[in-house]
């Protein structure tokens, strides 16, 4: 511990835990860093605890069972923690998460925990650091130029959070004060902690299973599947654009952190549901947030124009972890695919008046290549350009194949299958011309929508078509439409009017 003369103004906490659920999992390490009104560190305290069970993901927090085998139990040092936080507002990055675990441990230790006024530096980042794609501690510290040493240790993260809060406090002259940051110190002064526990310690919380689930225990990080690895690049703005409620973003950030290691155990899936209570979200909010996250991932999976079998399996695994039906994955992929096709179709020029090549090639068409003996570079060039423009290059001919491209140098199973199905067969030179004059994807006519309830029909913001249909219609009719994101009320109203005029 180090001590200075200033009076503490905030107590910053950070916990390392065995898992995600305050109900099921335990605190392995706790750090408290206290700062003065200028944001300078006054003192700090930290310790590890014996969790009375498995330590969870060692590859994340770096703590092994041997490290905590002889550490104290939380209940044995609970009374030493209270003086560091009593009478002070608590701050943490993703405060609901840390406070949820702190309350749960005090409850297990037999304490009656008072209401704890707290400030969340993650929530505050929307005010002080508004332009970030992600809002993990590392992202916020990078933006605020705050050093983050010993990440994923409680003391290292608490010190970094203290630096981030100092950045917020010192920004008051440049940025309008965040109301929550200004009000929470006064709220904390009236909080009275009990002098000790009021009942015997509990071996588990009343809503825990008597036999606690064993969580994953791995010393090294597992290899992350390709799609899940993209979670580190996923922007919260993307998830918000796909329909996640604004109030769910801190929860979504927690979910992204949970999924980033590529291992989704049954215990983690259950823990995600336990977090819902901590974030005060209702079932509708959670479903919307989970669906938006899955749709944003489907867009990412389609960035190369194709969702592989492995990527589809990963989407289904994530859907299951988020308690969404796996059968919705094909629909989300189709919506993302339609949005991509609409984007790639925008701005394509019409066919020239002298067009002699028959039916055009369109965005989203499926093509197969064969032959090109000794012409590997030509084939690779045509295939790469096709994928870049949004044409699907597949490995086998089916009834959905638009054309087979061959120079006639090899007669194999693909050519035989194309003849059998009556698939169009074109030479490389013809295909290059078709690709040069690529045409927009065909958009299906607006579907007949079931009549909505009266209240819904009177809402101009509710459109009958799917987002993919509305995007495609908007692009075809000259509206500025992004490949993803929320649809404007103006576009929805125009689509509704157009479909009503066509007798739909």
């Amino acid at each position: 511990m180090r001590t200075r003369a200033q009076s503490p103004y905030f107590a910053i906490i950070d916990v390392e835990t065995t898992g995600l659920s305050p109900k099921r999992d335990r605190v392995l390490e706790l750090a408290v860093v206290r700062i003065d009104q200028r944001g300078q560190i006054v003192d700090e305290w930290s310790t590890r605890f014996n969790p009375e069970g498995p330590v969870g993901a060692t590859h994340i927090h770096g703590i092994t069972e041997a490290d905590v085998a002889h550490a104290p139990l939380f209940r044995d040092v609970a009374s030493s923690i209270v003086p560091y936080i009593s009478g002070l507002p608590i701050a943490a990055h993703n405060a609901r998460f840390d406070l949820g675990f702190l309350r749960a441990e005090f409850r297990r230790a037999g304490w009656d925990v008072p209401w704890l006024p707290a400030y969340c530096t993650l929530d505050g980042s929307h005010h002080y650091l508004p332009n970030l794609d992600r809002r993990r501690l590392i992202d916020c510290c990078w933006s605020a130029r705050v050093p983050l040493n010993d990440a994923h240790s409680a003391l290292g993260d608490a010190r970094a959070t203290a630096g981030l809060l100092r950045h917020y406090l010192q920004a008051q002259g440049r940025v309008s004060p965040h109301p929550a940051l200004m009000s929470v110190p006064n709220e904390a002064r009236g909080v009275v902690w009990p002098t000790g526990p009021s009942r015997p310690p509990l071996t588990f919380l009343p809503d825990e299973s008597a036999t606690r689930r064993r969580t994953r225990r791995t010393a090294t990080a597992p290899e992350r599947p390709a799609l899940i690895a993209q979670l580190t690049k996923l922007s919260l703005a993307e998830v918000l654009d796909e329909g996640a409620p604004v109030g769910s973003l801190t929860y979504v950030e927690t979910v992204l952190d949970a999924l980033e290691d590529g291992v989704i155990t049954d215990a983690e899936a259950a823990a995600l549901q336990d977090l819902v209570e901590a974030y005060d979200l209702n079932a509708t909010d959670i479903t919307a947030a989970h669906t938006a996250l899955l749709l944003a991932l489907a867009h990412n999976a389609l960035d190369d124009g194709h969702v592989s079998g492995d990527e589809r399996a990963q989407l289904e695994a994530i859907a299951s972890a988020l308690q969404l039906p796996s059968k919705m994955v094909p629909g989300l992929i189709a919506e993302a695919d339609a949005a991509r096709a609409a984007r790639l179709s925008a701005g394509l020029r019409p066919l020239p008046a002298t067009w002699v090549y028959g039916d055009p090639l369109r965005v989203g068409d499926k093509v197969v290549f064969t032959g090109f003996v000794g012409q590997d570079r030509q084939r690779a060039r045509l295939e790469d350009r096709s994928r870049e423009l949004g044409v699907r290059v597949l490995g086998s001919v089916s009834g959905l194949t638009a054309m087979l491209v061959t120079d006639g140098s090899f007669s194999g199973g693909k050519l035989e299958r194309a003849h059998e199905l009556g698939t169009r067969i074109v030479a490389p030179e013809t295909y290059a011309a078709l690709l040069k004059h690529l045409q927009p994807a065909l958009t299906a006519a607006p579907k007949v929508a079931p009549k909505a309830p009266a209240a819904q029909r009177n809402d101009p913001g509710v459109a009958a078509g799917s987002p993919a249909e509305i995007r495609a219609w908007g692009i075809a009719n000259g509206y500025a439409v992004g490949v993803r994101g929320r649809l404007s009320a103006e576009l929805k109203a125009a689509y509704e009017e157009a479909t009503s005029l066509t007798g739909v």
Side-chain angles (χ1 to χ4, degrees):
M1 182 204 297
R2 61 185 182 185
T3 304
R4 297 180 182 176
Q6 303 96 323
S7 298
Y9 184 63
F10 261 98
I12 293 92
I13 69 167
D14 189 84
V15 297
E16 297 302 321
T17 66
T18 64
L20 297 173
S21 171
K23 294 181 179 180
R24 305 166 190 266
D25 299 307
R26 302 296 300 272
V27 172
L28 283 168
E29 188 174 42
L30 168 67
V32 183
V33 174
R34 300 199 297 179
I35 62 171
D36 63 18
Q37 197 161 356
R38 296 176 301 160
Q40 302 301 319
I41 293 178
V42 175
D43 55 26
E44 56 189 31
W45 176 92
S46 69
T47 190
R48 288 177 175 171
F49 303 103
N50 185 329
E52 303 176 276
V55 296
T58 295
H59 67 272
I60 294 176
H61 49 60
I63 300 172
T64 66
E65 292 191 0
D67 292 332
V68 293
H70 302 291
L73 303 179
F74 187 95
R75 59 179 173 267
D76 293 336
V77 295
S79 59
S80 300
I81 298 169
V82 173
Y84 281 94
I85 59 179
S86 179
L88 294 176
I90 290 175
H93 199 74
N94 196 353
R96 287 180 183 266
F97 183 88
D98 295 80
L99 281 177
F101 273 93
L102 189 65
R103 290 190 190 99
E105 288 293 356
F106 269 108
R107 287 179 60 199
R108 289 188 186 94
W111 287 67
D112 295 319
V113 185
W115 174 64
L116 301 176
Y119 181 75
C120 179
T121 54
L122 192 159
D123 288 343
S125 70
H126 293 279
H127 183 84
Y128 292 105
L129 306 167
N131 299 317
L132 297 181
D133 286 335
R134 291 289 301 276
R135 298 183 179 277
R136 296 164 298 181
L137 182 58
I138 190 173
D139 303 312
C140 294
C141 286
W142 176 86
S143 179
R145 299 183 180 180
V146 171
L148 174 54
N149 301 315
D150 299 322
H152 292 302
S153 71
L155 188 55
D157 286 353
R159 286 171 175 167
T161 304
L164 188 59
L165 186 57
R166 180 172 62 251
H167 176 81
Y168 294 175
L169 291 169
Q170 294 178 352
Q172 302 307 330
R174 305 184 305 273
V175 181
S176 60
H178 192 203
L181 181 56
M182 297 297 98
S183 63
V184 71
N186 290 332
E187 297 170 359
R189 292 190 185 100
V191 176
V192 178
W193 274 84
T195 57
S198 62
R199 57 188 178 276
L202 302 172
T203 56
F204 56 87
L205 294 179
D207 46 10
E208 279 185 80
S209 169
T211 304
R212 289 175 39 222
R213 302 187 190 194
R214 294 186 65 82
T215 54
R216 179 187 62 220
R217 291 183 295 170
T218 53
T220 57
E223 182 178 353
R224 294 188 296 178
L227 178 60
I228 293 180
Q230 293 184 33
L231 286 164
T232 56
K233 304 174 184 177
L234 191 65
S235 166
L236 286 180
E238 293 179 63
V239 183
L240 180 65
D241 284 345
E242 297 302 345
V246 174
S248 70
L249 288 188
T250 303
Y251 166 79
V252 170
E253 185 72 89
T254 306
V255 173
L256 290 175
D257 282 343
L259 297 177
E260 276 182 5
D261 65 1
V263 178
I264 308 167
T265 66
D266 290 341
E268 284 179 319
L272 289 178
Q273 300 309 307
D274 291 342
L275 286 176
V276 172
E277 181 180 329
Y279 288 92
D280 293 331
L281 298 171
N282 59 40
T284 301
D285 290 338
I286 289 299
T287 299
H290 287 177
T291 302
L293 193 157
L294 200 61
L295 179 55
L297 272 177
H299 279 295
N300 280 21
L302 269 164
D303 279 348
D304 62 356
H306 174 63
V307 176
S308 68
D310 285 345
E311 287 173 328
R312 184 183 295 265
Q314 290 163 41
L315 285 170
E316 290 175 348
I318 293 172
S320 176
L322 300 178
Q323 294 200 349
L324 295 173
S326 59
K327 64 182 180 182
M328 76 184 302
V329 169
L332 294 178
I333 292 174
E335 181 175 339
D337 199 14
R340 180 176 185 272
R343 172 175 60 87
L344 294 173
S345 296
L348 294 178
R349 297 179 179 179
L351 294 174
T354 56
W355 184 253
V356 295
Y357 296 105
D359 290 340
L361 182 67
R362 296 185 177 276
V363 173
D365 278 353
K366 299 176 176 66
V367 301
V368 176
F369 286 75
T370 190
F372 293 85
V373 175
Q375 299 294 325
D376 293 343
R377 293 181 65 182
Q378 180 191 21
R379 174 172 175 171
R381 187 167 58 251
L382 288 173
E383 288 183 344
D384 290 345
R385 184 58 176 159
S386 298
R387 294 187 184 97
E388 180 183 336
L389 295 176
V391 176
R392 301 278 297 278
V393 179
L394 302 182
S396 59
V397 177
S398 72
L400 299 177
T401 304
M403 61 190 68
L404 176 72
V405 185
T406 179
D407 62 354
S409 62
F410 178 74
S411 297
K414 293 179 183 178
L415 185 61
E416 181 180 346
R417 181 64 171 162
H419 283 302
E420 179 183 331
L421 294 174
T423 303
R424 184 181 180 185
I425 301 172
V426 300
E429 297 74 20
T430 300
Y431 183 75
L434 291 166
L435 199 57
K436 181 179 179 181
H437 296 283
L438 185 68
Q439 293 298 289
L442 288 175
T443 58
K447 298 178 181 179
V448 177
K451 290 185 178 181
Q456 193 177 53
R457 289 200 303 272
N458 293 332
D459 182 356
V462 177
S466 71
E469 291 169 343
I470 299 172
R471 279 193 180 91
W473 181 89
I475 289 173
N477 287 275
Y479 287 84
V481 184
V483 63
R484 55 186 81 166
R486 293 182 177 179
L487 303 172
S488 68
E490 177 189 6
L491 177 59
K492 292 179 181 179
Y495 177 86
E496 288 280 292
E497 182 179 358
T499 53
S500 65
L501 291 175
T502 57
V504 178

